[in-house]
Amino acid sequence: MNRPTSNDMSAAAGAKETADFEEVPFCADCPLRKIGTFSPNSAEEVAFIQSFKRGEVTVKAGDLLVREGVNSGEFYTLLRGWAFRYRTLSNGNRQILNFLLPGDFIGLQEKLGAHSSNGVEALSDARFCRFPADRLWDLYRNHPSLSYDITWIAAHEELIVDENLVSVGQRTAAQRIAMLMIHLFKRAESVALKDASGSVPFPVNQQHMADALGLSLVHTNKTLGALTRLGYFKVKDGRLTIGKLDSLHALADYFTLPLRGRPLI
Amino acid sequence: MNRPTSNDMSAAAGAKETADFEEVPFCADCPLRKIGTFSPNSAEEVAFIQSFKRGEVTVKAGDLLVREGVNSGEFYTLLRGWAFRYRTLSNGNRQILNFLLPGDFIGLQEKLGAHSSNGVEALSDARFCRFPADRLWDLYRNHPSLSYDITWIAAHEELIVDENLVSVGQRTAAQRIAMLMIHLFKRAESVALKDASGSVPFPVNQQHMADALGLSLVHTNKTLGALTRLGYFKVKDGRLTIGKLDSLHALADYFTLPLRGRPLI
DNA sequence: CGCTCGGTTGAAGGAGGTCAACTCCGGTGG
DNA sequence: CCACCGGAGTTGACCTCCTTCAACCGAGCG
């Protein structure tokens, strides 16, 4: 039942700058805005987002951005790297609720819905933009279009969790893994992470997959091995390559989520 | 694997008025506003909601309010009765994503997040307020406080789905059932459905529970029977009574969601 | 009065969990 | 330079929780 507990140092405060993540002081220069995935914002909206932004923070792989049960008083946008949102039960079992990729907005569940109950951990070294939660009302009062975008983001994120729930509730182990692979591949692709060889970075280990899919580590390993041997996909050196996308779709009974034209805060 | 397919007549259009649901023409008189659960709105906000409201619709138990994959172009607030949001896979398996009780707002996932993929079905005879989706932008432009409320609702609903995902992914059958009972009891209680004897209406049958919890009907039945025999709770004549709330909490490893002070559109 | 729907029960089988090794790394420190 | 260590991945054996199949029952209803 119990997973080995991971490193839970909080890195939200006092994280040191590392060399491989240059700062992005101007939202207008944000590299994420340059890819076609996100819906464009007016100069005036970008200026507000800029004024909303409090700074950036780097979190090392395996460290926490948000600890379970604490309210950091901040929203975040994932700028670079991967992370995940999770909840743990008292027996130590962990459920990964959603994986976070560049462009994802973080903190709506806790800040609104209630006192937080989910943690956020970096999968790879990651960099986040920070936004003070107490200025959200400002945004709502003065920027209806951005308010609308934030609601869109909340609804879209629920859709992803819905999809995870369908997987965990109704699909077999092989189907769940197939879903996860397609889903993460497409999301990574949508934020321009695919390289010339057709692979995307994949900082997800088998324990993460198990925790996301409601499976044991051992069974995840065996099913993953079987699907890999069948040539559906390959995970190697922290990168994911899809071998047979159509077969994966068929196996998983996949339903497409829209990944383009979504807002970026 | 396959469930017997349910009656899928769409009742969204052309539903007939039934005698047991009197109309609520004035939002200011809305019975839901009179219970202390929802955060109060200013007269001006209520007036806007009134102008936003297009009418009401009654759906009989087992009929659909929203068919999977179609966009009705409307939002709804559940006024009376119970319903649920679900998705079906191509093999006929159904996952119930969330149960809907009076006061719940419906349609954010489809209208924003994307082309809809989940259906909404009435559990009991139910009545809904209708809001045209194309006027939502109006709301965002002119009513920041209501915009904020809608985001709050979206975030809160995601929290509920998160909780379901944790259950289905990490809890045993008995724990899942315990969670469901506590959760639905508290939600029903919070909208003033508890009667003098301490029971709440419970139009959920064992197939619904199975579909919500990712369990088979047979195993749901047996586990339910065992927990009932232990005196944890009782389901009889369409009503739910909790016998040992503390023991249920302990069994389920329950984490409380906030149910009061939430907004009502 | 038969039919359907929801609930109940028993028996058998399987998908996935648990336990326990073992390998293959990439540190890291003596 | 090599011994040691911890983390991640593999693999086999066994077990159990849950599913599947197949009845059967009782209540409501046309």
Side-chain angles (χ1 to χ4, degrees), chain B residues 3-11 59-68 84 86 88 94 120-123 125 208:
Chain B
R3 263 178 331 91
T5 58
S6 67
N7 178 358
D8 72 342
M9 291 175 42
S10 174
V59 179
K60 289 207 299 293
D63 283 355
L64 297 182
L65 173 71
V66 179
R67 197 193 299 269
E68 276 180 287
F84 61 89
Y86 68 96
T88 52
R94 176 172 71 177
V120 177
E121 180 177 321
L123 267 174
D125 289 350
H208 295 128

PDB file of all heavy atoms in Angstrom, chain B residues 3-11 59-68 84 86 88 94 120-123 125 208, chain C residues 4-6:
ATOM      1  N   ARG B   3     -23.822  -2.216 -19.083  1.00  0.00           N
ATOM      2  CA  ARG B   3     -25.002  -1.912 -18.311  1.00  0.00           C
ATOM      3  C   ARG B   3     -26.205  -1.941 -19.232  1.00  0.00           C
ATOM      4  O   ARG B   3     -26.087  -1.615 -20.404  1.00  0.00           O
ATOM      5  CB  ARG B   3     -24.922  -0.486 -17.769  1.00  0.00           C
ATOM      6  CG  ARG B   3     -24.443  -0.351 -16.376  1.00  0.00           C
ATOM      7  CD  ARG B   3     -24.376   1.104 -16.040  1.00  0.00           C
ATOM      8  NE  ARG B   3     -24.122   1.892 -17.244  1.00  0.00           N
ATOM      9  CZ  ARG B   3     -25.049   2.391 -18.002  1.00  0.00           C
ATOM     10  NH1 ARG B   3     -26.317   2.235 -17.713  1.00  0.00           N
ATOM     11  NH2 ARG B   3     -24.723   3.082 -19.059  1.00  0.00           N
ATOM     12  N   PRO B   4     -27.384  -2.276 -18.703  1.00  0.00           N
ATOM     13  CA  PRO B   4     -28.596  -2.052 -19.501  1.00  0.00           C
ATOM     14  C   PRO B   4     -28.705  -0.563 -19.802  1.00  0.00           C
ATOM     15  O   PRO B   4     -28.560   0.261 -18.897  1.00  0.00           O
ATOM     16  CB  PRO B   4     -29.721  -2.524 -18.584  1.00  0.00           C
ATOM     17  CG  PRO B   4     -29.116  -2.739 -17.240  1.00  0.00           C
ATOM     18  CD  PRO B   4     -27.647  -2.877 -17.429  1.00  0.00           C
ATOM     19  N   THR B   5     -28.899  -0.225 -21.060  1.00  0.00           N
ATOM     20  CA  THR B   5     -28.923   1.200 -21.394  1.00  0.00           C
ATOM     21  C   THR B   5     -30.216   1.837 -20.906  1.00  0.00           C
ATOM     22  O   THR B   5     -31.285   1.234 -20.960  1.00  0.00           O
ATOM     23  CB  THR B   5     -28.811   1.420 -22.909  1.00  0.00           C
ATOM     24  OG1 THR B   5     -29.889   0.737 -23.534  1.00  0.00           O
ATOM     25  CG2 THR B   5     -27.498   0.870 -23.420  1.00  0.00           C
ATOM     26  N   SER B   6     -30.089   3.059 -20.445  1.00  0.00           N
ATOM     27  CA  SER B   6     -31.250   3.712 -19.851  1.00  0.00           C
ATOM     28  C   SER B   6     -32.022   4.490 -20.915  1.00  0.00           C
ATOM     29  O   SER B   6     -31.579   4.681 -22.030  1.00  0.00           O
ATOM     30  CB  SER B   6     -30.794   4.660 -18.755  1.00  0.00           C
ATOM     31  OG  SER B   6     -30.077   5.723 -19.329  1.00  0.00           O
ATOM     32  N   ASN B   7     -33.142   4.914 -20.522  1.00  0.00           N
ATOM     33  CA  ASN B   7     -34.010   5.738 -21.348  1.00  0.00           C
ATOM     34  C   ASN B   7     -33.275   7.018 -21.726  1.00  0.00           C
ATOM     35  O   ASN B   7     -32.855   7.761 -20.869  1.00  0.00           O
ATOM     36  CB  ASN B   7     -35.259   6.063 -20.507  1.00  0.00           C
ATOM     37  CG  ASN B   7     -36.205   6.964 -21.267  1.00  0.00           C
ATOM     38  OD1 ASN B   7     -35.923   7.372 -22.389  1.00  0.00           O
ATOM     39  ND2 ASN B   7     -37.327   7.254 -20.634  1.00  0.00           N
ATOM     40  N   ASP B   8     -33.114   7.259 -23.016  1.00  0.00           N
ATOM     41  CA  ASP B   8     -32.319   8.439 -23.367  1.00  0.00           C
ATOM     42  C   ASP B   8     -33.102   9.478 -24.171  1.00  0.00           C
ATOM     43  O   ASP B   8     -32.555  10.194 -24.982  1.00  0.00           O
ATOM     44  CB  ASP B   8     -31.049   8.023 -24.092  1.00  0.00           C
ATOM     45  CG  ASP B   8     -31.336   7.536 -25.500  1.00  0.00           C
ATOM     46  OD1 ASP B   8     -32.498   7.204 -25.776  1.00  0.00           O
ATOM     47  OD2 ASP B   8     -30.424   7.508 -26.295  1.00  0.00           O
ATOM     48  N   MET B   9     -34.377   9.560 -23.942  1.00  0.00           N
ATOM     49  CA  MET B   9     -35.146  10.643 -24.545  1.00  0.00           C
ATOM     50  C   MET B   9     -34.610  11.972 -24.043  1.00  0.00           C
ATOM     51  O   MET B   9     -34.419  12.160 -22.859  1.00  0.00           O
ATOM     52  CB  MET B   9     -36.602  10.591 -24.091  1.00  0.00           C
ATOM     53  CG  MET B   9     -37.405   9.437 -24.615  1.00  0.00           C
ATOM     54  SD  MET B   9     -39.014   9.531 -23.823  1.00  0.00           S
ATOM     55  CE  MET B   9     -39.341  11.306 -23.904  1.00  0.00           C
ATOM     56  N   SER B  10     -34.385  12.868 -24.935  1.00  0.00           N
ATOM     57  CA  SER B  10     -33.989  14.192 -24.477  1.00  0.00           C
ATOM     58  C   SER B  10     -35.243  14.948 -24.050  1.00  0.00           C
ATOM     59  O   SER B  10     -36.247  14.957 -24.734  1.00  0.00           O
ATOM     60  CB  SER B  10     -33.295  14.971 -25.575  1.00  0.00           C
ATOM     61  OG  SER B  10     -33.070  16.283 -25.109  1.00  0.00           O
ATOM     62  N   ALA B  11     -35.151  15.565 -22.906  1.00  0.00           N
ATOM     63  CA  ALA B  11     -36.307  16.310 -22.407  1.00  0.00           C
ATOM     64  C   ALA B  11     -36.013  17.796 -22.378  1.00  0.00           C
ATOM     65  O   ALA B  11     -36.808  18.592 -21.934  1.00  0.00           O
ATOM     66  CB  ALA B  11     -36.679  15.842 -21.014  1.00  0.00           C
ATOM     67  N   VAL B  59     -37.565  18.007 -15.976  1.00  0.00           N
ATOM     68  CA  VAL B  59     -37.100  16.754 -16.569  1.00  0.00           C
ATOM     69  C   VAL B  59     -37.515  15.613 -15.643  1.00  0.00           C
ATOM     70  O   VAL B  59     -37.287  15.673 -14.438  1.00  0.00           O
ATOM     71  CB  VAL B  59     -35.568  16.764 -16.751  1.00  0.00           C
ATOM     72  CG1 VAL B  59     -35.101  15.452 -17.343  1.00  0.00           C
ATOM     73  CG2 VAL B  59     -35.129  17.923 -17.625  1.00  0.00           C
ATOM     74  N   LYS B  60     -38.136  14.606 -16.217  1.00  0.00           N
ATOM     75  CA  LYS B  60     -38.594  13.478 -15.408  1.00  0.00           C
ATOM     76  C   LYS B  60     -37.431  12.572 -15.035  1.00  0.00           C
ATOM     77  O   LYS B  60     -36.442  12.478 -15.764  1.00  0.00           O
ATOM     78  CB  LYS B  60     -39.643  12.680 -16.178  1.00  0.00           C
ATOM     79  CG  LYS B  60     -40.964  13.412 -16.320  1.00  0.00           C
ATOM     80  CD  LYS B  60     -42.149  12.447 -16.478  1.00  0.00           C
ATOM     81  CE  LYS B  60     -42.009  11.582 -17.707  1.00  0.00           C
ATOM     82  NZ  LYS B  60     -42.098  12.338 -18.985  1.00  0.00           N
ATOM     83  N   ALA B  61     -37.558  11.898 -13.924  1.00  0.00           N
ATOM     84  CA  ALA B  61     -36.526  10.972 -13.466  1.00  0.00           C
ATOM     85  C   ALA B  61     -36.113  10.034 -14.590  1.00  0.00           C
ATOM     86  O   ALA B  61     -36.959   9.427 -15.245  1.00  0.00           O
ATOM     87  CB  ALA B  61     -37.038  10.171 -12.271  1.00  0.00           C
ATOM     88  N   GLY B  62     -34.822   9.924 -14.823  1.00  0.00           N
ATOM     89  CA  GLY B  62     -34.318   9.033 -15.849  1.00  0.00           C
ATOM     90  C   GLY B  62     -34.184   9.669 -17.222  1.00  0.00           C
ATOM     91  O   GLY B  62     -33.563   9.097 -18.111  1.00  0.00           O
ATOM     92  N   ASP B  63     -34.767  10.849 -17.412  1.00  0.00           N
ATOM     93  CA  ASP B  63     -34.630  11.537 -18.696  1.00  0.00           C
ATOM     94  C   ASP B  63     -33.388  12.418 -18.704  1.00  0.00           C
ATOM     95  O   ASP B  63     -32.825  12.730 -17.660  1.00  0.00           O
ATOM     96  CB  ASP B  63     -35.872  12.392 -18.980  1.00  0.00           C
ATOM     97  CG  ASP B  63     -37.045  11.534 -19.433  1.00  0.00           C
ATOM     98  OD1 ASP B  63     -36.845  10.316 -19.602  1.00  0.00           O
ATOM     99  OD2 ASP B  63     -38.149  12.081 -19.599  1.00  0.00           O
ATOM    100  N   LEU B  64     -33.005  12.820 -19.909  1.00  0.00           N
ATOM    101  CA  LEU B  64     -31.791  13.613 -20.052  1.00  0.00           C
ATOM    102  C   LEU B  64     -32.092  15.101 -20.101  1.00  0.00           C
ATOM    103  O   LEU B  64     -33.034  15.536 -20.769  1.00  0.00           O
ATOM    104  CB  LEU B  64     -31.060  13.225 -21.338  1.00  0.00           C
ATOM    105  CG  LEU B  64     -30.549  11.792 -21.432  1.00  0.00           C
ATOM    106  CD1 LEU B  64     -29.810  11.593 -22.754  1.00  0.00           C
ATOM    107  CD2 LEU B  64     -29.637  11.479 -20.263  1.00  0.00           C
ATOM    108  N   LEU B  65     -31.265  15.864 -19.428  1.00  0.00           N
ATOM    109  CA  LEU B  65     -31.296  17.322 -19.598  1.00  0.00           C
ATOM    110  C   LEU B  65     -30.359  17.682 -20.738  1.00  0.00           C
ATOM    111  O   LEU B  65     -30.673  18.511 -21.587  1.00  0.00           O
ATOM    112  CB  LEU B  65     -30.834  18.013 -18.311  1.00  0.00           C
ATOM    113  CG  LEU B  65     -30.662  19.524 -18.424  1.00  0.00           C
ATOM    114  CD1 LEU B  65     -32.007  20.222 -18.541  1.00  0.00           C
ATOM    115  CD2 LEU B  65     -29.877  20.075 -17.243  1.00  0.00           C
ATOM    116  N   VAL B  66     -29.202  17.062 -20.760  1.00  0.00           N
ATOM    117  CA  VAL B  66     -28.197  17.320 -21.796  1.00  0.00           C
ATOM    118  C   VAL B  66     -27.725  15.982 -22.327  1.00  0.00           C
ATOM    119  O   VAL B  66     -27.340  15.107 -21.550  1.00  0.00           O
ATOM    120  CB  VAL B  66     -26.994  18.096 -21.223  1.00  0.00           C
ATOM    121  CG1 VAL B  66     -25.945  18.325 -22.311  1.00  0.00           C
ATOM    122  CG2 VAL B  66     -27.423  19.413 -20.601  1.00  0.00           C
ATOM    123  N   ARG B  67     -27.762  15.818 -23.638  1.00  0.00           N
ATOM    124  CA  ARG B  67     -27.291  14.587 -24.241  1.00  0.00           C
ATOM    125  C   ARG B  67     -25.775  14.682 -24.446  1.00  0.00           C
ATOM    126  O   ARG B  67     -25.252  15.751 -24.737  1.00  0.00           O
ATOM    127  CB  ARG B  67     -28.001  14.396 -25.576  1.00  0.00           C
ATOM    128  CG  ARG B  67     -27.932  12.985 -26.129  1.00  0.00           C
ATOM    129  CD  ARG B  67     -28.384  12.968 -27.570  1.00  0.00           C
ATOM    130  NE  ARG B  67     -29.757  13.404 -27.741  1.00  0.00           N
ATOM    131  CZ  ARG B  67     -30.801  12.565 -27.721  1.00  0.00           C
ATOM    132  NH1 ARG B  67     -30.619  11.283 -27.529  1.00  0.00           N
ATOM    133  NH2 ARG B  67     -32.021  13.023 -27.902  1.00  0.00           N
ATOM    134  N   GLU B  68     -25.104  13.560 -24.304  1.00  0.00           N
ATOM    135  CA  GLU B  68     -23.657  13.552 -24.512  1.00  0.00           C
ATOM    136  C   GLU B  68     -23.310  14.023 -25.912  1.00  0.00           C
ATOM    137  O   GLU B  68     -23.876  13.557 -26.887  1.00  0.00           O
ATOM    138  CB  GLU B  68     -23.101  12.130 -24.334  1.00  0.00           C
ATOM    139  CG  GLU B  68     -22.812  11.741 -22.931  1.00  0.00           C
ATOM    140  CD  GLU B  68     -22.267  10.318 -22.867  1.00  0.00           C
ATOM    141  OE1 GLU B  68     -23.045   9.374 -23.054  1.00  0.00           O
ATOM    142  OE2 GLU B  68     -21.068  10.172 -22.633  1.00  0.00           O
ATOM    143  N   PHE B  84     -27.315  13.924 -12.376  1.00  0.00           N
ATOM    144  CA  PHE B  84     -25.885  13.624 -12.382  1.00  0.00           C
ATOM    145  C   PHE B  84     -25.281  13.883 -13.747  1.00  0.00           C
ATOM    146  O   PHE B  84     -25.979  13.863 -14.763  1.00  0.00           O
ATOM    147  CB  PHE B  84     -25.600  12.175 -11.954  1.00  0.00           C
ATOM    148  CG  PHE B  84     -26.215  11.128 -12.843  1.00  0.00           C
ATOM    149  CD1 PHE B  84     -25.528  10.642 -13.947  1.00  0.00           C
ATOM    150  CD2 PHE B  84     -27.485  10.625 -12.570  1.00  0.00           C
ATOM    151  CE1 PHE B  84     -26.097   9.674 -14.766  1.00  0.00           C
ATOM    152  CE2 PHE B  84     -28.060   9.658 -13.392  1.00  0.00           C
ATOM    153  CZ  PHE B  84     -27.361   9.183 -14.498  1.00  0.00           C
ATOM    154  N   TYR B  86     -22.345  12.663 -16.445  1.00  0.00           N
ATOM    155  CA  TYR B  86     -21.693  11.379 -16.729  1.00  0.00           C
ATOM    156  C   TYR B  86     -21.054  11.370 -18.107  1.00  0.00           C
ATOM    157  O   TYR B  86     -21.301  12.252 -18.929  1.00  0.00           O
ATOM    158  CB  TYR B  86     -22.729  10.253 -16.664  1.00  0.00           C
ATOM    159  CG  TYR B  86     -23.733  10.323 -17.782  1.00  0.00           C
ATOM    160  CD1 TYR B  86     -23.568   9.574 -18.937  1.00  0.00           C
ATOM    161  CD2 TYR B  86     -24.822  11.186 -17.706  1.00  0.00           C
ATOM    162  CE1 TYR B  86     -24.466   9.668 -19.994  1.00  0.00           C
ATOM    163  CE2 TYR B  86     -25.723  11.287 -18.744  1.00  0.00           C
ATOM    164  CZ  TYR B  86     -25.542  10.526 -19.881  1.00  0.00           C
ATOM    165  OH  TYR B  86     -26.419  10.638 -20.919  1.00  0.00           O
ATOM    166  N   THR B  88     -20.052   8.231 -21.147  1.00  0.00           N
ATOM    167  CA  THR B  88     -20.046   6.809 -21.476  1.00  0.00           C
ATOM    168  C   THR B  88     -18.941   6.506 -22.469  1.00  0.00           C
ATOM    169  O   THR B  88     -18.620   7.321 -23.333  1.00  0.00           O
ATOM    170  CB  THR B  88     -21.383   6.351 -22.082  1.00  0.00           C
ATOM    171  OG1 THR B  88     -21.717   7.216 -23.166  1.00  0.00           O
ATOM    172  CG2 THR B  88     -22.493   6.399 -21.068  1.00  0.00           C
ATOM    173  N   ARG B  94     -20.373   3.367 -18.206  1.00  0.00           N
ATOM    174  CA  ARG B  94     -20.690   4.748 -17.864  1.00  0.00           C
ATOM    175  C   ARG B  94     -19.943   5.167 -16.608  1.00  0.00           C
ATOM    176  O   ARG B  94     -19.895   4.421 -15.628  1.00  0.00           O
ATOM    177  CB  ARG B  94     -22.194   4.874 -17.628  1.00  0.00           C
ATOM    178  CG  ARG B  94     -22.625   6.251 -17.171  1.00  0.00           C
ATOM    179  CD  ARG B  94     -24.128   6.377 -17.136  1.00  0.00           C
ATOM    180  NE  ARG B  94     -24.721   5.617 -16.052  1.00  0.00           N
ATOM    181  CZ  ARG B  94     -26.019   5.615 -15.767  1.00  0.00           C
ATOM    182  NH1 ARG B  94     -26.860   6.307 -16.513  1.00  0.00           N
ATOM    183  NH2 ARG B  94     -26.478   4.903 -14.759  1.00  0.00           N
ATOM    184  N   VAL B 120     -26.110  14.964 -18.949  1.00  0.00           N
ATOM    185  CA  VAL B 120     -26.705  15.235 -17.643  1.00  0.00           C
ATOM    186  C   VAL B 120     -28.068  14.567 -17.610  1.00  0.00           C
ATOM    187  O   VAL B 120     -28.901  14.803 -18.489  1.00  0.00           O
ATOM    188  CB  VAL B 120     -26.853  16.747 -17.387  1.00  0.00           C
ATOM    189  CG1 VAL B 120     -27.551  17.000 -16.063  1.00  0.00           C
ATOM    190  CG2 VAL B 120     -25.499  17.436 -17.421  1.00  0.00           C
ATOM    191  N   GLU B 121     -28.283  13.732 -16.622  1.00  0.00           N
ATOM    192  CA  GLU B 121     -29.528  12.975 -16.514  1.00  0.00           C
ATOM    193  C   GLU B 121     -30.175  13.233 -15.160  1.00  0.00           C
ATOM    194  O   GLU B 121     -29.478  13.341 -14.142  1.00  0.00           O
ATOM    195  CB  GLU B 121     -29.210  11.473 -16.674  1.00  0.00           C
ATOM    196  CG  GLU B 121     -30.406  10.569 -16.577  1.00  0.00           C
ATOM    197  CD  GLU B 121     -30.049   9.094 -16.824  1.00  0.00           C
ATOM    198  OE1 GLU B 121     -29.222   8.810 -17.700  1.00  0.00           O
ATOM    199  OE2 GLU B 121     -30.591   8.236 -16.103  1.00  0.00           O
ATOM    200  N   ALA B 122     -31.476  13.315 -15.161  1.00  0.00           N
ATOM    201  CA  ALA B 122     -32.202  13.536 -13.907  1.00  0.00           C
ATOM    202  C   ALA B 122     -32.307  12.235 -13.124  1.00  0.00           C
ATOM    203  O   ALA B 122     -32.647  11.189 -13.682  1.00  0.00           O
ATOM    204  CB  ALA B 122     -33.587  14.098 -14.189  1.00  0.00           C
ATOM    205  N   LEU B 123     -31.987  12.302 -11.836  1.00  0.00           N
ATOM    206  CA  LEU B 123     -32.121  11.135 -10.964  1.00  0.00           C
ATOM    207  C   LEU B 123     -33.544  11.016 -10.448  1.00  0.00           C
ATOM    208  O   LEU B 123     -34.096   9.936 -10.319  1.00  0.00           O
ATOM    209  CB  LEU B 123     -31.198  11.291  -9.756  1.00  0.00           C
ATOM    210  CG  LEU B 123     -29.801  10.702  -9.821  1.00  0.00           C
ATOM    211  CD1 LEU B 123     -29.035  11.092  -8.586  1.00  0.00           C
ATOM    212  CD2 LEU B 123     -29.863   9.195  -9.955  1.00  0.00           C
ATOM    213  N   ASP B 125     -37.439  13.394 -10.532  1.00  0.00           N
ATOM    214  CA  ASP B 125     -38.047  14.479 -11.281  1.00  0.00           C
ATOM    215  C   ASP B 125     -37.332  15.754 -10.855  1.00  0.00           C
ATOM    216  O   ASP B 125     -37.118  15.979  -9.666  1.00  0.00           O
ATOM    217  CB  ASP B 125     -39.542  14.586 -10.946  1.00  0.00           C
ATOM    218  CG  ASP B 125     -40.318  13.408 -11.549  1.00  0.00           C
ATOM    219  OD1 ASP B 125     -39.726  12.665 -12.350  1.00  0.00           O
ATOM    220  OD2 ASP B 125     -41.495  13.238 -11.191  1.00  0.00           O
ATOM    221  N   HIS B 208     -26.349   3.410 -10.077  1.00  0.00           N
ATOM    222  CA  HIS B 208     -25.735   4.741 -10.066  1.00  0.00           C
ATOM    223  C   HIS B 208     -24.485   4.758  -9.201  1.00  0.00           C
ATOM    224  O   HIS B 208     -23.449   5.309  -9.574  1.00  0.00           O
ATOM    225  CB  HIS B 208     -26.726   5.783  -9.537  1.00  0.00           C
ATOM    226  CG  HIS B 208     -27.923   5.985 -10.413  1.00  0.00           C
ATOM    227  ND1 HIS B 208     -29.205   5.907  -9.918  1.00  0.00           N
ATOM    228  CD2 HIS B 208     -28.037   6.234 -11.737  1.00  0.00           C
ATOM    229  CE1 HIS B 208     -30.062   6.130 -10.913  1.00  0.00           C
ATOM    230  NE2 HIS B 208     -29.381   6.317 -12.024  1.00  0.00           N
TER     231      HIS B 208
ATOM    232  P    DT C   4     -40.630  -7.679 -20.226  1.00  0.00           P
ATOM    233  OP1  DT C   4     -40.589  -7.478 -21.692  1.00  0.00           O
ATOM    234  OP2  DT C   4     -39.979  -8.865 -19.629  1.00  0.00           O
ATOM    235  O5'  DT C   4     -40.062  -6.372 -19.525  1.00  0.00           O
ATOM    236  C5'  DT C   4     -40.915  -5.242 -19.312  1.00  0.00           C
ATOM    237  C4'  DT C   4     -40.463  -4.513 -18.056  1.00  0.00           C
ATOM    238  O4'  DT C   4     -40.991  -5.156 -16.864  1.00  0.00           O
ATOM    239  C3'  DT C   4     -38.942  -4.473 -17.876  1.00  0.00           C
ATOM    240  O3'  DT C   4     -38.563  -3.158 -17.530  1.00  0.00           O
ATOM    241  C2'  DT C   4     -38.691  -5.422 -16.720  1.00  0.00           C
ATOM    242  C1'  DT C   4     -39.962  -5.221 -15.907  1.00  0.00           C
ATOM    243  N1   DT C   4     -40.294  -6.323 -14.952  1.00  0.00           N
ATOM    244  C2   DT C   4     -40.736  -5.987 -13.698  1.00  0.00           C
ATOM    245  O2   DT C   4     -40.874  -4.844 -13.317  1.00  0.00           O
ATOM    246  N3   DT C   4     -41.032  -7.065 -12.896  1.00  0.00           N
ATOM    247  C4   DT C   4     -40.913  -8.410 -13.218  1.00  0.00           C
ATOM    248  O4   DT C   4     -41.202  -9.281 -12.408  1.00  0.00           O
ATOM    249  C5   DT C   4     -40.434  -8.685 -14.552  1.00  0.00           C
ATOM    250  C7   DT C   4     -40.259 -10.108 -14.996  1.00  0.00           C
ATOM    251  C6   DT C   4     -40.150  -7.638 -15.349  1.00  0.00           C
ATOM    252  P    DC C   5     -37.028  -2.701 -17.688  1.00  0.00           P
ATOM    253  OP1  DC C   5     -36.917  -1.814 -18.845  1.00  0.00           O
ATOM    254  OP2  DC C   5     -36.198  -3.920 -17.583  1.00  0.00           O
ATOM    255  O5'  DC C   5     -36.798  -1.857 -16.358  1.00  0.00           O
ATOM    256  C5'  DC C   5     -37.901  -1.311 -15.615  1.00  0.00           C
ATOM    257  C4'  DC C   5     -37.518  -1.289 -14.146  1.00  0.00           C
ATOM    258  O4'  DC C   5     -37.987  -2.508 -13.510  1.00  0.00           O
ATOM    259  C3'  DC C   5     -36.007  -1.238 -13.898  1.00  0.00           C
ATOM    260  O3'  DC C   5     -35.739  -0.274 -12.888  1.00  0.00           O
ATOM    261  C2'  DC C   5     -35.656  -2.646 -13.433  1.00  0.00           C
ATOM    262  C1'  DC C   5     -36.951  -3.058 -12.725  1.00  0.00           C
ATOM    263  N1   DC C   5     -37.158  -4.530 -12.641  1.00  0.00           N
ATOM    264  C2   DC C   5     -37.745  -5.076 -11.493  1.00  0.00           C
ATOM    265  O2   DC C   5     -38.075  -4.309 -10.569  1.00  0.00           O
ATOM    266  N3   DC C   5     -37.944  -6.408 -11.419  1.00  0.00           N
ATOM    267  C4   DC C   5     -37.571  -7.199 -12.430  1.00  0.00           C
ATOM    268  N4   DC C   5     -37.793  -8.504 -12.305  1.00  0.00           N
ATOM    269  C5   DC C   5     -36.965  -6.666 -13.613  1.00  0.00           C
ATOM    270  C6   DC C   5     -36.785  -5.339 -13.671  1.00  0.00           C
ATOM    271  P    DG C   6     -34.214   0.212 -12.641  1.00  0.00           P
ATOM    272  OP1  DG C   6     -34.231   1.677 -12.691  1.00  0.00           O
ATOM    273  OP2  DG C   6     -33.306  -0.578 -13.492  1.00  0.00           O
ATOM    274  O5'  DG C   6     -33.959  -0.225 -11.136  1.00  0.00           O
ATOM    275  C5'  DG C   6     -34.839   0.209 -10.117  1.00  0.00           C
ATOM    276  C4'  DG C   6     -34.655  -0.679  -8.912  1.00  0.00           C
ATOM    277  O4'  DG C   6     -35.119  -2.012  -9.241  1.00  0.00           O
ATOM    278  C3'  DG C   6     -33.196  -0.832  -8.476  1.00  0.00           C
ATOM    279  O3'  DG C   6     -33.083  -0.433  -7.117  1.00  0.00           O
ATOM    280  C2'  DG C   6     -32.866  -2.301  -8.686  1.00  0.00           C
ATOM    281  C1'  DG C   6     -34.233  -2.962  -8.706  1.00  0.00           C
ATOM    282  N9   DG C   6     -34.285  -4.152  -9.545  1.00  0.00           N
ATOM    283  C8   DG C   6     -33.913  -4.269 -10.860  1.00  0.00           C
ATOM    284  N7   DG C   6     -34.077  -5.475 -11.349  1.00  0.00           N
ATOM    285  C5   DG C   6     -34.585  -6.203 -10.289  1.00  0.00           C
ATOM    286  C6   DG C   6     -34.962  -7.570 -10.200  1.00  0.00           C
ATOM    287  O6   DG C   6     -34.915  -8.425 -11.092  1.00  0.00           O
ATOM    288  N1   DG C   6     -35.432  -7.890  -8.930  1.00  0.00           N
ATOM    289  C2   DG C   6     -35.527  -7.018  -7.879  1.00  0.00           C
ATOM    290  N2   DG C   6     -35.993  -7.505  -6.734  1.00  0.00           N
ATOM    291  N3   DG C   6     -35.185  -5.731  -7.940  1.00  0.00           N
ATOM    292  C4   DG C   6     -34.723  -5.399  -9.165  1.00  0.00           C
TER     293       DG C   6
END
